Amino acid sequence: MDLLEKLRTVEKRRARFAGAAALPGETVIDRVVGPCEVIIGGRRTLMFGSNNYLGLTLHPDVVEAAQRAAGEYGTGTTGSRTANGTLALHEELEREFADWFGKRHALIFSTGYQANLSLVGALCGAGDVILIDADSHASIYDATRQTASQVVAFRHNSAESLRRKLQRLPTGQRNRLVVVEGLYSIRGDVAPLRDIVAVCREHGAYLLVDEAHSLGTFGSRGLGCAEEQGVLSGVDFVVGTFSKSLAGIGGVCVSDHPELRALHFLARAYVFTASGSPSNIAGVRAAVKVIRRHPELRDRLWANVRMLRNGLREIGYTIGEHESPIVPILTGEEARTIALWQALLRAGLYVNLIVPPGCPKDDCVLRASCSAAHTPEQVQQALDIFATAESQLGQVPLRRVPEAVGEGDLRLDAKILP
Ligand SMILES: Cc1ncc(COP(=O)(O)O)c(C=O)c1O
């Protein structure tokens, strides 16, 4: 097969949608009108597909801090943290994270993706075993691929499956790292961290929890699902991203292990890449301060979640069972899902479209996400658009997911090894 042939398949797939107003995966936002409103194709569009869970991307404190830092430090660092790219701003943000989490150490990375690559790459090598949830994010799978470690996937959100996999490992293999997410990004389901922490303790395994979507949204201080479930002290490494609730770009790991600091020299995805730009880092620090000062942001977020979920159910949509800022609408068949997505967009509502290769052919999902910045009026407008699109498309509610299919079987191909 020609080297370029696999790339041509993308064009072939694209040709199927020739003439459609909106192409899956190619939506361009022309302008941002507000934290939850954008202009797409000349039309004012409600944004229910971002990860701006706390609506801080346009918060005055965040914007002002970013602008000030660009003026004071310039637009970029032009180097890696280990070379010329560590500013006082980076270290201040690390202290802010350690203080917020009540953990001894924090290290920040250029993206959340690189945080996972750095942690797993620096910790694990030949002779070690990495155990990951089967529905893990691509960054976790990619992180394992750079190591010479044995990689074992366990059934999604099953502490029992994890226990069995750990029991089956030969006793000689000493080092075990378990990697899970707090809140899973497509189906919005939460990991049973209490059970997972207990299993890790039983088997002497280290635990890394990626709280990308739960940082800022779960827990009484917004620290994520481990805080919410009262097991933060049982987690060795908490990873977070700045690209969702924190309204910027970057990643962080907090830990009580002083060895974390060694990543400054050892982690390739940290050493060989430029550090976060001054405006971004200052904006993220301001966002953390806002989150710490305003726990009521989470109350607003969760009120919107309940309103959207109840409304969608009343219209007749089948949605995921877990209550979280991610509201998956289980639409089933691909062509119908794309038609529904396009109808919503034409009517001025953007949600995320999850179709193959992002999921199995008949398990497509429209992923709506809530923000604290959505007004109740905007949630109602979105529900009205959902209702109209449903009636226009005919016999929606769409295909229900069969009872017998467990979460672990609804694998998302974009997130798992081919
Ligand atoms: C679970 C998880 N980990 C890591 C990442 C990567 O984060 P970033 O956008 O900061 O690279 C994401 C992004 O979607 C994610 O969902």
Side-chain angles (χ1 to χ4, degrees):
M1 194 214 266
D2 182 75
L3 195 63
L4 300 180
E5 188 51 33
K6 53 182 174 298
L7 309 189
R8 288 187 201 115
T9 57
V10 173
E11 277 310 309
K12 283 185 199 145
R13 189 178 150 74
R14 197 172 187 270
R16 283 173 44 204
F17 301 104
L23 294 178
E26 297 188 44
T27 311
V28 177
I29 296 168
D30 300 323
R31 266 194 314 121
V32 173
V33 185
C36 302
E37 265 192 280
V38 294
I39 306 288
I40 295 176
R43 194 188 203 299
R44 217 177 164 100
T45 302
L46 285 170
M47 177 48 81
F48 274 77
S50 88
N51 301 305
N52 194 8
Y53 298 123
L54 298 178
L56 298 184
T57 52
L58 288 173
H59 191 285
D61 292 5
V62 177
V63 173
E64 207 259 323
Q67 284 171 339
R68 192 160 12 93
E72 284 175 18
Y73 291 87
T75 52
T77 64
T78 74
S80 108
R81 290 290 306 277
T82 321
N84 57 303
T86 294
L87 301 174
L89 288 175
H90 294 95
E91 295 200 335
E92 280 159 20
L93 181 57
E94 286 171 343
R95 282 194 291 275
E96 181 85 39
F97 272 112
D99 184 61
W100 186 22
F101 273 80
K103 295 265 188 191
R104 281 191 215 113
H105 307 283
L107 197 63
I108 60 175
F109 303 84
S110 302
T111 63
Y113 184 95
Q114 286 161 294
N116 282 331
L117 249 61
S118 298
L119 261 293
V120 176
L123 288 169
C124 300
D128 301 326
V129 189
I130 312 168
L131 298 105
I132 62 174
D133 186 291
D135 276 7
S136 287
H137 186 259
S139 59
I140 295 171
Y141 272 102
D142 291 355
T144 66
R145 281 173 168 171
Q146 41 160 359
T147 70
S149 307
Q150 182 187 351
V151 181
V152 177
F154 59 91
R155 193 177 158 80
H156 175 54
N157 270 351
S158 169
E160 199 36 51
S161 168
L162 171 62
R163 176 183 281 114
R164 279 197 303 272
K165 301 276 181 186
L166 279 162
Q167 279 166 345
R168 270 187 231 143
L169 291 175
T171 43
Q173 274 170 328
R174 278 182 307 116
N175 298 316
R176 292 132 188 233
L177 176 69
V178 173
V179 184
V180 298
E181 293 171 39
L183 170 65
Y184 284 83
S185 58
I186 306 291
R187 297 197 170 265
D189 49 340
V190 170
L193 291 176
R194 253 181 251 150
D195 297 340
I196 288 173
V197 166
V199 171
C200 288
R201 284 209 177 120
E202 258 171 57
H203 291 271
Y206 286 91
L207 176 61
L208 184 161
V209 179
D210 180 346
E211 301 265 20
H213 293 266
S214 28
L215 181 61
T217 58
F218 278 76
S220 61
R221 285 174 290 157
L223 302 179
C225 294
E227 185 201 18
E228 173 102 3
Q229 295 177 39
V231 290
L232 193 54
S233 61
V235 180
D236 295 283
F237 304 99
V238 180
V239 166
T241 172
F242 305 166
S243 67
K244 309 191 192 302
S245 290
L246 302 190
I249 301 175
V252 62
C253 175
V254 291
S255 176
D256 279 330
H257 295 294
E259 292 83 354
L260 181 71
R261 290 190 302 240
L263 268 69
H264 184 76
F265 295 103
L266 293 181
R268 296 174 67 79
Y270 172 101
V271 174
F272 297 106
T273 195
S275 59
S277 69
S279 56
N280 175 47
I281 297 299
V284 169
R285 179 147 187 236
V288 172
K289 284 176 181 290
V290 172
I291 296 172
R292 296 183 77 173
R293 269 202 319 270
H294 295 286
E296 74 280 5
L297 283 172
R298 274 188 297 288
D299 299 336
R300 263 186 249 155
L301 169 67
W302 286 95
N304 287 338
V305 168
R306 282 186 282 275
M307 184 174 171
L308 185 69
R309 289 179 62 85
N310 291 340
L312 285 169
R313 280 209 175 107
E314 272 166 29
I315 297 167
Y317 285 100
T318 303
I319 59 173
E321 63 190 87
H322 308 275
E323 197 171 87
S324 91
I326 297 164
V327 182
I329 303 158
L330 309 178
T331 45
E333 196 256 324
E334 184 182 6
R336 191 165 194 70
T337 304
I338 293 175
L340 178 57
W341 176 76
Q342 287 173 326
L344 295 172
L345 195 52
R346 275 196 304 275
L349 174 64
Y350 184 86
V351 294
N352 284 303
L353 173 68
I354 317 293
V355 289
C359 64
K361 194 160 62 58
D362 287 325
D363 283 318
C364 298
V365 175
L366 290 181
R367 174 194 184 273
S369 47
C370 289
S371 170
H374 284 131
T375 62
E377 292 73 29
Q378 286 174 325
V379 180
Q380 190 52 56
Q381 278 168 28
L383 287 169
D384 293 344
I385 294 173
F386 271 117
T388 310
E390 191 243 14
S391 59
Q392 278 169 357
L393 272 186
Q395 288 313 306
V396 193
L398 302 130
R399 190 176 143 306
R400 274 172 199 277
V401 175
E403 300 275 313
V405 177
E407 291 281 347
D409 300 315
L410 296 170
R411 291 216 182 138
L412 300 160
D413 292 348
K415 304 178 80 191
I416 65 173
L417 285 171

